[in-house]
Structures are given as C-alpha cells and as structure tokens.
Amino acid sequence: MARGSRRVRGKRRSRKRQEVWGWGAAGAVVVAVVVVRFVGDHPGWAMGMACLLVVMVAGGLVLRHRVIQAARQRFLAANAELEKVDQMSGTEFEHLVAERMIADGFRQVRERGGSGDGGVDITAVAAGHGRYAVHCKRYSKPVGAPDVRNFLGALANAFAGHTGILVTSSRLTKQARLEALGAREPLILVERDRLADWLLGSASLLPARSARMLTEEEAT
C-alpha cells in the first residue's frame, strides 16, 4: 500500500509539473504573438523601444566598466600606500599616523615616542569624542596578545579615560583580536586593510565622519 501511494503521489506531482510547463509555454506563445502584432502595428514605437533598450544596455556596460576600473584604481593605490609603509621605520610610521590623524580631524595630536610610553605612541583629542591614545605597530609579523595587553594596561592606568586606537601595518592574531574587542573599553583596531583605506582618505576613525563617509559611498 505504501509503495502504491508513493507511486500515485509521484504521478500527481509529475502531472502538475507538466501542467505548469504547459501553461508556461502557452503564456510564452501569447506574449510572442502580442509582441509581433505590436511591432507590426506600431513600427515606430517598436524601433524607439529597441533603441532605448540598446542605450540602457550600453549604459549599464559603461557603468559596470567604470565601477570595475575605480575598484582597480583603489586597489592599486592601497597597495602602493602599504608598500611605502612597509619600507618605513617604526618612528616614521608613527609620524605618518600622526599626520593622518590631523587630516582626519583630530586635534592636539602629540607624538610621544620613547620606550617608556606604556605602549602609547600618540595622544590626541577629538571634539565631542574625548581623548585618544594611539599605539602604532609597524610590523611584518602579526601583532600578538602581549602587545595588546600591554596597551590595555596603559589605558587602564596612566592613560585612563582615553579611547585606545591600535594601528598596525600588519594584522592581529586571533587571540590578540579577542582581547582587544573583549576589553572593558574595546579598542579601535586599524589593521592592514583598514589602514590602507584610512591613508587614502576613504575611511575615518572619528565616528561622525566615518558614518557620513559610509553614507556618501552608498549614495554613489
């Protein structure tokens, strides 16, 4: 009985599929007939619609090409910036970050330097966002958890009340990222990819500017 019922259900499903295909084919024939009659009765309109379709397709292809080219240019520019960074010393990298912070809208940007800075290389202020402490790592290897813990210690003591920003030319290890994001006051992380966007001016570390730039990018 079970096998018989399954066969019946299978036949019903097959019949329904055939009916759907049949109705679809009939609909396609009707549409084709209507289009042919319309073209025959209104050749001018048909020609105009055909031209409009061609223009729309061509415009879409041109737009797609421009988007691809723009993305390619951004990719090449980002790589060029990162190649420059990779040739810098730690001090030069700190200076670059400080300059970019000024361009980004930070004020009272001060390079601290030295080995007794508790991991803080730059301090700055942003109107409406308080004080910031920045730790720069011009590394070729990933930044590890000990570096993050050292920086968090400075933020909890000598630089209490500052928002921490960790900027690196490399990336963080998984454990380092977990510690950075799991802190009482999560760090702002600027790893390699985000660093490239920031250096090119297409990203910001200030929340208000970052949101505005994202909105403008979506609009374009």
Side-chain angles (χ1 to χ4, degrees):
M1 289 294 292
R3 290 183 179 178
S5 62
R6 281 198 293 269
R7 290 197 192 99
V8 171
R9 286 197 296 269
K11 289 180 179 179
R12 287 177 180 173
R13 283 195 292 268
S14 178
R15 192 178 301 116
K16 286 182 179 179
R17 283 196 294 268
Q18 290 175 358
E19 290 176 357
V20 170
W21 278 105
W23 282 108
V29 170
V30 171
V31 171
V33 170
V34 171
V35 170
V36 170
R37 286 185 177 178
F38 180 82
V39 171
D41 296 340
H42 307 87
W45 277 94
M47 182 63 71
M49 291 176 65
C51 291
L52 179 61
L53 180 61
V54 170
V55 170
M56 290 176 64
V57 171
L61 291 174
V62 170
L63 180 60
R64 180 174 180 273
H65 176 72
R66 289 181 177 177
V67 169
I68 292 174
Q69 285 295 101
R72 181 173 180 274
Q73 290 299 323
R74 285 196 299 271
F75 175 77
L76 293 175
N79 279 350
E81 288 295 328
L82 291 175
E83 286 178 2
K84 293 177 185 177
V85 168
D86 290 339
Q87 301 301 317
M88 292 180 177
S89 65
T91 301
E92 289 172 334
F93 182 55
E94 291 173 15
H95 185 60
L96 174 66
V97 171
E99 287 185 335
R100 184 68 195 100
M101 290 184 72
I102 294 172
D104 199 12
F106 290 88
R107 297 293 177 263
Q108 300 179 33
V109 178
R110 178 189 171 196
E111 295 179 55
R112 297 178 56 83
S115 58
D117 56 11
V120 175
D121 302 302
I122 301 169
T123 55
V125 174
H129 300 290
R131 297 175 295 172
Y132 288 80
V134 186
H135 185 29
C136 302
K137 281 294 182 184
R138 214 294 294 159
Y139 271 12
S140 56
K141 63 180 182 180
V143 178
D147 289 310
V148 172
R149 283 195 291 269
N150 184 44
F151 185 34
L152 290 174
L155 293 173
N157 294 288
F159 295 91
H162 290 66
T163 297
I165 303 176
L166 195 158
V167 184
T168 178
S169 58
S170 182
R171 293 178 174 82
L172 275 69
T173 63
K174 181 179 179 180
Q175 186 59 40
R177 189 176 295 108
L178 288 174
E179 294 212 22
L181 298 178
R184 178 180 297 179
E185 294 294 335
L187 300 178
I188 296 174
L189 301 179
V190 184
E191 298 179 74
R192 191 171 181 85
D193 292 339
R194 189 179 182 186
L195 174 64
D197 290 336
W198 187 50
L199 293 177
L200 290 173
S202 57
S204 173
L205 300 187
L206 293 176
R209 287 198 66 207
S210 181
R212 185 170 66 252
M213 293 172 76
L214 180 60
T215 302
E216 291 173 353
E217 184 174 314
E218 290 174 345
T220 57

